[in-house]
Amino acid sequence: MNARLKLVITGILLCLALGLTVFCAVQTVQAFQRFQQEHKLAVTGDVSTIRPWMTVPFIAHFYHVPESYLDQLLHITNDRAVHHLPLRELAAHVNRPVDGLIHDIQHAILNYRKH
């Protein structure tokens, strides 16, 4: 290989590395901005921040709603194993889509706040 070809290949690789670095930096900044927005909404108690990894006790504590209120809404009995499942697993346990379960919880919290 002659020196000119090596220089061209090195230049191409450097440009590729620079492009990937810029791409990753932009993705990182966007992820941080999304995190800040989600955090701001969560701190204000916005119910749109409920996620499938959350449990009923966590939601009750975080959104200042009695656990018994959510248990009644979701028809959860005294089975503590079911009670502490993440919403994703709870939805599978009761044969419902997780999005529908989250939607019901969101409405229940909003209704509780109205009264």
Side-chain angles (χ1 to χ4, degrees), residues 7-70:
L7 184 63
V8 169
I9 291 173
T10 303
I12 290 171
L13 290 175
L14 283 173
C15 288
L16 181 62
L18 180 63
L20 287 173
T21 301
V22 168
F23 174 77
C24 289
V26 168
Q27 294 299 311
T28 301
V29 168
Q30 288 175 348
F32 183 72
Q33 288 171 339
R34 282 190 305 271
F35 172 77
Q36 282 183 317
Q37 288 173 333
E38 287 278 325
H39 179 35
K40 194 181 299 182
L41 289 173
V43 168
T44 61
D46 189 327
V47 294
S48 69
T49 58
I50 294 176
R51 298 289 177 252
W53 59 264
M54 296 177 175
T55 63
V56 171
F58 177 83
I59 293 168
H61 174 76
F62 192 83
Y63 293 95
H64 308 290
V65 176
E67 280 185 49
S68 59
Y69 177 75
L70 293 177

Side-chain angles (χ1 to χ4, degrees), residues 68-80:
S68 59
Y69 177 75
L70 293 177
D71 289 344
Q72 182 181 2
L73 168 84
L74 301 173
H75 307 292
I76 297 176
T77 59
N78 290 333
D79 186 358
R80 299 318 258 173

Side-chain angles (χ1 to χ4, degrees), residues 2 5 8 19 23 25 42 53 57 60 66 71 79 81 92 97 100-101 104 108 113 115:
N2 63 24
L5 183 59
V8 169
F23 174 77
W53 59 264
D71 289 344
D79 186 358
L101 186 66
D104 290 348
R113 287 178 181 168
H115 303 351

Side-chain angles (χ1 to χ4, degrees), residues 5-6 48 59 62 67 80 93 96-100 110-111:
L5 183 59
K6 286 182 183 178
S48 69
I59 293 168
F62 192 83
E67 280 185 49
R80 299 318 258 173
H93 184 74
R96 291 189 58 195
V98 70
D99 291 336
L110 294 173
N111 286 335

